[in-house]
């Protein structure tokens, strides 16, 4: 069973958002990294890029497959996790600790359409 953390918001495309004030840290879930296998590359947007809820913002590539990253929320990228450029495998070690982008949230009400930990765990079991 994949690890699902309380207090995060989850999308059906297996991204999570950890909210800290007006910012959201976006990454892929433990379920997603487990399904992908060994992550070898993370394609991230640039700082100041806009991301839109439900739209692609990058990709994660593994030895098995490539998977588009879909933003669960809208906002402006304020930071990218540069450690992933040289060590994409950090996502496999701890997907929740190794977020991909940090965004300034433009509409916090979008969080209401995402799943909580309990709903996401049930979604993954289907």
């Amino acid at each position: 069973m994949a690890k699902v953390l309380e207090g995060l918001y989850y999308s059906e495309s297996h991204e999570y958002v950890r909210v800290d004030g007006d910012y959201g840290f976006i990454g892929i879930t433990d379920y997603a990294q487990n399904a992908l296998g060994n992550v070898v590359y993370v394609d991230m947007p640039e700082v100041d890029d806009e991301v839109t809820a439900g739209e692609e913002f990058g990709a994660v590539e593994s030895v098995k497959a490539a998977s588009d990253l879909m933003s669960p929320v809208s906002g402006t990228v304020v930071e990218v996790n540069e450690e992933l450029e040289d060590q994409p495998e950090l996502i496999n070690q701890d997907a929740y600790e190794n977020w991909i982008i940090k965004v300034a949230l433009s509409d916090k009400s979008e969080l209401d359409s995402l799943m909580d930990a309990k709903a996401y765990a049930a979604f993954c079991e289907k």
Side-chain angles (χ1 to χ4, degrees):
M1 178 66 194
K3 184 167 71 171
V4 177
L5 298 186
E6 291 289 335
L8 302 179
Y9 297 89
Y10 297 90
S11 69
E12 289 188 358
S13 53
H14 304 289
E15 287 85 14
Y16 68 82
V17 182
R18 183 178 81 238
V19 176
D20 183 3
D22 292 328
Y23 297 96
F25 292 86
I26 300 172
I28 63 169
T29 65
D30 190 54
Y31 180 94
Q33 73 80 19
N34 201 33
L36 279 167
N38 294 334
V39 174
V40 294
Y41 179 72
V42 183
D43 179 30
M44 297 177 275
E46 304 284 325
V47 170
D48 293 330
D49 281 359
E50 296 290 325
V51 295
T52 303
E55 293 189 9
E56 183 186 331
F57 71 85
V60 175
E61 293 178 20
S62 72
V63 290
K64 290 197 290 194
S67 181
D68 289 340
L69 294 167
M70 306 303 282
S71 187
V73 291
S74 301
T76 305
V77 178
V78 293
E79 192 177 339
V80 297
N81 188 345
E82 292 180 358
E83 286 187 349
L84 298 178
E85 290 174 6
D86 297 323
Q87 297 176 286
E89 68 278 3
L90 289 171
I91 288 177
N92 295 121
Q93 292 168 20
D94 189 336
Y96 297 113
E97 197 58 42
N98 294 289
W99 49 273
I100 297 170
I101 60 172
K102 177 182 177 182
V103 299
L105 300 168
S106 60
D107 183 359
K108 280 191 169 177
S109 71
E110 290 175 342
L111 297 167
D112 299 338
S113 66
L114 299 172
M115 293 177 274
D116 63 10
K118 185 177 176 188
Y120 181 69
F123 175 77
C124 289
E125 285 174 14
K126 289 181 185 166

